[in-house]
Amino acid sequence: MSGPLEDCIAVVDDEFLIASGLTMQLEDMGMTVCGTAATADEAVSLAQAARPAVVLMDVRLAGPKDGIDAALTIHETVGSKVIFVTGSREAATIARIEQDHPAGLLFKPVLAWQLREAISAALAS
């Protein structure tokens, strides 16, 4: 890890409409979105280039790796706080998420106040 993290948020979701919706919610809250990604590899590249303070990470992504794989790499190489945003409430998925020491866990659909609280808590920790 090198250099300070930027005051921006990365959005990772393989569904364009969800990524766009989260981006609009964040911008409506006055937050800066430094980019979006649809795969684990794109997420890692985005995080390494933009160095976001927070990454909103979907668990299920297009491609062979999932959001948990991406989050572990981002945590190790960049140090961004990762808030998982998922539609899955399966015990096995939750257990895998907890391996990464997430800064938060939100279940879809995410309300604006939930998003704001999770990001505030992540930035404060």
Side-chain angles (χ1 to χ4, degrees):
M1 288 186 271
S2 64
L5 297 178
E6 296 300 319
D7 190 22
C8 67
I9 299 170
V11 176
V12 182
D13 199 301
D14 62 343
E15 292 186 44
F16 176 77
L17 291 176
I18 292 174
S20 296
L22 287 170
T23 297
M24 287 191 307
Q25 277 185 304
L26 293 166
E27 289 173 346
D28 286 348
M29 290 182 224
M31 298 178 189
T32 302
V33 176
C34 49
T36 62
T39 68
D41 289 339
E42 286 176 10
V44 171
S45 293
L46 172 62
Q48 290 175 342
R51 302 191 55 73
V54 174
V55 178
L56 296 181
M57 180 73 70
D58 187 18
V59 174
R60 293 194 175 108
L61 299 173
K65 298 177 192 165
D66 67 11
I68 299 165
D69 296 323
L72 288 167
T73 302
I74 290 167
H75 182 79
E76 290 170 12
T77 62
V78 181
S80 303
K81 306 281 185 170
V82 177
I83 298 171
F84 286 96
V85 181
T86 183
S88 174
R89 294 180 184 264
E90 297 168 4
T93 301
I94 305 303
R96 275 198 71 221
I97 288 170
E98 289 173 355
Q99 289 176 358
D100 183 49
H101 312 5
L105 173 59
L106 299 171
F107 294 101
K108 295 176 184 175
V110 177
L111 302 175
W113 69 267
Q114 293 170 315
L115 196 56
R116 180 178 286 122
E117 281 186 8
I119 291 168
S120 293
L123 292 173
S125 66

